[in-house]
Amino acid sequence: MYIILVYDIKTDDRGVKILSKTFKTCKKYLNHIQNSVFEGELSEGQLLKLKLELNQIIRQTEDSVIVFSGRNKKWLNKDFWGKTEDNTDSFL
């Protein structure tokens, strides 16, 4: 399935480490797009592993992760507004 993942980590004293760990974990599974945004194809098993890993890192009451999923990337349009430099996978 095609995944777009975004996260928001509260940047207090502890949050700096959590932010770094969250980024590294997401980077293992998905392509980094912009700041805290990732995209890519994952199986259901990979998505479950990612979820389990992130749930061990983030604070449930202060941080958040949002996952958008679809059948595959051909069902999603990507339109850039502003800076159009794209160092990621291109798709329709």
Side-chain angles (χ1 to χ4, degrees):
M1 74 182 71
Y2 189 74
I3 301 296
I4 296 174
L5 181 146
V6 297
Y7 60 78
D8 186 24
I9 306 299
K10 183 176 178 184
T11 53
D12 53 12
D13 291 339
R14 190 163 165 240
V16 174
K17 277 188 175 179
I18 293 170
L19 183 63
S20 176
K21 288 180 181 181
T22 301
F23 178 87
K24 289 176 185 177
T25 301
C26 291
K27 187 81 173 138
K28 287 188 334 188
Y29 293 90
L30 298 164
N31 300 312
H32 182 232
I33 300 303
Q34 184 180 53
N35 295 332
S36 57
V37 181
F38 292 80
E39 71 177 0
E41 295 277 347
L42 294 181
S43 68
E44 288 186 35
Q46 290 171 316
L47 182 58
L48 180 59
K49 283 179 64 176
L50 175 58
K51 180 180 180 179
L52 292 172
E53 287 183 43
L54 289 177
N55 278 334
Q56 292 178 348
I57 297 168
I58 66 169
R59 299 166 289 186
Q60 299 298 316
T61 59
E62 298 178 53
D63 307 319
S64 66
V65 176
I66 301 170
V67 176
F68 301 91
S69 62
R71 289 184 280 177
N72 57 46
K73 64 184 178 181
K74 76 177 185 177
W75 295 102
L76 183 67
N77 294 321
K78 184 191 285 186
D79 188 19
F80 287 92
W81 298 358
K83 184 179 175 185
T84 59
E85 186 177 311
D86 181 16
N87 296 327
T88 63
D89 295 343
S90 61
F91 57 94
L92 304 176

